[in-house]
Amino acid sequence: MAMAASTTRAGAPRHVVVVGGSIAGLLAARALVDHVDRVTVLDRDDLPREPAARGGVPQGRHAHGLLDRGRDLLEGWFPGLTDDLVAQGARLGDPGERGVWCLRPEPLAPVSTGLQMLLVSRPLLEWYVRLRLLQDGRVEIRENSSVLDLAFSQDEARVVGVIVADRDGGVPTLVPAQLVVDASGRNSRTTEWLERRGYFAPPEDVRRVDKRYATHRVRPIAEEAAPLAVAVAARPGVPRSGILLAQEDGRYVVSLVGRGGVQPPVAWPEFVAFARTLAHPALADVLSGMQALDAGATYRFPANRRRRWERVARFPDGLVVTGDAFCVFDPVHGQGMTVASIEAEALGRCLGEGSDRLAERFHRAAAAAVDTPWTIAVGGTPDERGGVPFPERAVGAYLDRYLSAASADPDLAAAFLRVSHLHGSPRELLAPRRALRVAAVLAREALRPSARPLRGATAPQPTAPPGAAVPMGEIR
Ligand SMILES: Cc1cc2nc3c(=O)[nH]c(=O)nc-3n(C[C@H](O)[C@H](O)[C@H](O)COP(=O)(O)OP(=O)(O)OC[C@H]3O[C@@H](n4cnc5c(N)ncnc54)[C@H](O)[C@@H]3O)c2cc1C
């Protein structure tokens, strides 16, 4: 549908439409609202009045944790968020002190990091953010509003709104906007909508992992202090992993993950037995003191997918892409919501600097924001041609040793956790002083007669063969 453009190319947008009212869409709306008159968020789901899982966000039933960097950003937009959620039963703790991270495969050394991990169920977090956003009179959130297409100016050089219908087949209508933000998640249709108007699809980097999740909400049988988080990583030869995270109300969520198409069982006794087959018993040990509160849920995560919108030669004005629609990560390090926050911050900043070439500037900023988490999430995973790029193989081999050393060295463990929480760059772990420390710790541990040899301390360990490669520092 072609429409007349309603603003000049250099003019600041007055009305923004955000497609998708999940975390990326809500945060984009919050970051943009200070720069425009109005923001309308459209979601095809009915949005729950209470914290509850919903169909448009099926991953919300599975283990979700908010990294410290994401919590910082959310706290900036919604002051008091951490305290409010803790008052509603969420848990807060230093991941180095309150988490057990079995990565290679011994746990990272316990350490105070100064980081705060906020442990709250995904439905409660999204519900809280939605309510806070709605307190701003400039924001409207419309449920049961399915976006069917983009609307374009006559020359198709500019997006001027979206075509919306309710899910039940109501008459499609135009919602005009000077800026449309695609935050519709991994199944975004922007590529298809643009190709129909003669634009090219973006180059994509796809890394298949074919992971299958099984998840239960659980509660401790006795009132014992359990860790706030327990993670057991996959290893070459053990392509299974698991993570348990505290949530509100004394509950926990536990997800078991099979790689390469292996589906962990959902029935509780078999679920617990599967946990026993992980590379470290820590998770199964904690689970043995828990009872399941539900029948369980499953999820398939086929592939990491990075759409390189920053590399397309031609892109319409009045449109940007963010969140999982821009890049979907393997949830291995729980980075998606934090990356969406970083992108939202970048979007607000880019618009604050002017609307000229907004998409180009924002997509470049978003790509820069994605670089680190992408490296962390996919390092070692074969690309579409079946190969693992050399730099990733080398870094993966080094990380293997780093994490082995970090199980004996609190300083290395703290540095790893900071990078995992998206404070700083993975390059910090490669700094010469850290590499020397890794070598020294591994040598020291190898010489200790009573010590169990750490992986990587003796003969070099093979990196995983293509197809069985395990991302660096994989948690699940
Ligand atoms: C198993 C799993 C575990 C994860 N664990 C973590 C974790 O621990 N920590 C973390 O930070 N991240 C985690 N993630 C990632 C996280 O869920 C996402 O990155 C995050 O939700 C941001 O996604 P999004 O808002 O871009 O898209 P989504 O959450 O997928 O939401 C897309 C929204 O768009 C709506 N929509 C779609 N199409 C249309 C349309 N045409 N019209 C209108 N509305 C539409 C949908 O209804 C939905 O509300 C995990 C992901 C998975 C799969």
Side-chain angles (χ1 to χ4, degrees), residues 238-258:
V238 190
R240 299 176 291 280
S241 55
I243 187 161
L244 171 114
L245 296 174
Q247 298 191 315
E248 58 272 12
D249 301 334
R251 283 182 277 120
Y252 286 74
V253 60
V254 54
S255 292
L256 297 180
V257 188

Side-chain angles (χ1 to χ4, degrees), residues 22 24 43-44 54 59 63-65 122 147 324 334 336-337 476:
S22 176
D43 201 287
R44 65 178 165 211
R54 61 186 177 91
Q59 76 271 25
H64 267 66
R122 167 63 205 249
V147 173
D324 282 12
M337 298 188 296
R476 58 191 136 133

Side-chain angles (χ1 to χ4, degrees), residues 12 79 104 119 148 306 310 359 379 389 397 399 432 459:
R104 278 302 182 269
L119 294 143
L148 307 179
R306 184 171 181 177
E310 75 282 8
L399 248 294

Side-chain angles (χ1 to χ4, degrees), residues 50-403:
E50 303 291 329
R54 61 186 177 91
V57 184
Q59 76 271 25
R61 297 177 187 277
H62 301 268
H64 267 66
L66 183 61
L67 303 179
D68 187 67
R69 176 94 184 271
R71 193 190 59 78
D72 269 356
L73 287 164
L74 264 70
E75 186 66 44
W77 285 313
F78 306 109
L81 166 139
T82 307
D83 288 348
D84 282 355
L85 288 171
V86 169
Q88 293 185 42
R91 310 287 298 278
L92 188 68
D94 185 325
E97 293 172 348
R98 310 288 307 276
V100 178
W101 309 103
C102 306
L103 303 179
R104 278 302 182 269
E106 293 304 314
L108 291 180
V111 60
S112 295
T113 61
L115 302 166
Q116 293 288 346
M117 116 187 118
L118 180 62
L119 294 143
V120 54
S121 67
R122 167 63 205 249
L124 175 56
L125 180 65
E126 184 184 307
W127 174 83
Y128 177 89
V129 169
R130 190 163 64 238
L131 287 199
R132 287 289 298 266
L133 193 58
L134 280 171
Q135 288 169 4
D136 189 320
R138 297 167 295 179
V139 178
E140 184 191 359
I141 301 179
R142 285 196 214 161
E143 57 187 352
N144 190 7
S145 299
S146 221
V147 173
L148 307 179
D149 202 350
L150 299 168
F152 283 79
S153 58
Q154 295 286 1
D155 61 1
E156 299 195 332
R158 178 172 194 95
V159 170
V160 296
V162 292
I163 307 301
V164 183
D166 65 28
R167 255 193 345 263
D168 317 315
V171 181
T173 53
L174 168 74
V175 179
Q178 290 82 47
L179 176 63
V180 172
V181 179
D182 175 13
S184 63
R186 64 205 168 285
N187 296 321
S188 158
R189 294 177 61 200
T190 288
T191 302
E192 171 197 336
W193 291 333
L194 292 187
E195 277 185 308
R196 244 190 266 150
R197 271 81 182 202
Y199 291 92
F200 290 117
E204 289 192 355
D205 192 351
V206 178
R207 307 291 182 95
R208 295 204 172 274
V209 285
D210 200 5
K211 285 190 173 178
R212 311 280 169 104
Y213 284 71
T215 295
H216 280 280
R217 287 185 309 133
V218 296
R219 183 187 290 285
I221 295 166
E223 289 295 312
E224 280 169 25
L228 292 183
V230 181
V232 179
R235 298 287 303 139
V238 190
R240 299 176 291 280
S241 55
I243 187 161
L244 171 114
L245 296 174
Q247 298 191 315
E248 58 272 12
D249 301 334
R251 283 182 277 120
Y252 286 74
V253 60
V254 54
S255 292
L256 297 180
V257 188
R259 205 182 159 87
V262 174
Q263 175 64 61
V266 188
W268 183 244
E270 287 83 2
F271 184 89
V272 177
F274 187 93
R276 278 273 160 232
T277 71
L278 303 185
H280 193 281
L283 181 54
D285 289 350
V286 174
L287 268 194
S288 65
M290 302 261 178
Q291 63 192 19
L293 299 173
D294 60 18
T298 58
Y299 187 87
R300 278 183 72 171
F301 180 87
N304 299 276
R305 181 177 298 271
R306 184 171 181 177
R307 298 184 172 108
R308 311 297 308 236
W309 285 113
E310 75 282 8
R311 294 196 179 160
V312 294
R314 239 182 99 238
F315 195 82
D317 287 335
L319 175 68
V320 294
V321 183
T322 190
D324 282 12
F326 189 78
C327 181
V328 190
F329 298 98
D330 188 331
V332 57
H333 280 282
Q335 307 177 109
M337 298 188 296
T338 295
V339 172
S341 331
I342 297 170
E343 289 169 351
E345 189 195 37
L347 184 55
R349 194 177 54 247
C350 287
L351 187 59
E353 290 164 3
S355 49
D356 194 37
R357 297 186 302 104
L358 179 68
E360 186 188 322
R361 289 184 289 118
F362 168 65
H363 290 154
R364 234 189 279 133
V370 156
D371 276 340
T372 289
W374 176 264
T375 308
I376 292 174
V378 310
T381 305
D383 60 21
E384 289 290 77
R385 294 179 302 279
V388 179
F390 172 73
E392 284 182 22
R393 257 185 294 141
V395 171
Y398 170 73
L399 248 294
D400 204 34
R401 285 160 181 73
Y402 184 104
L403 289 169

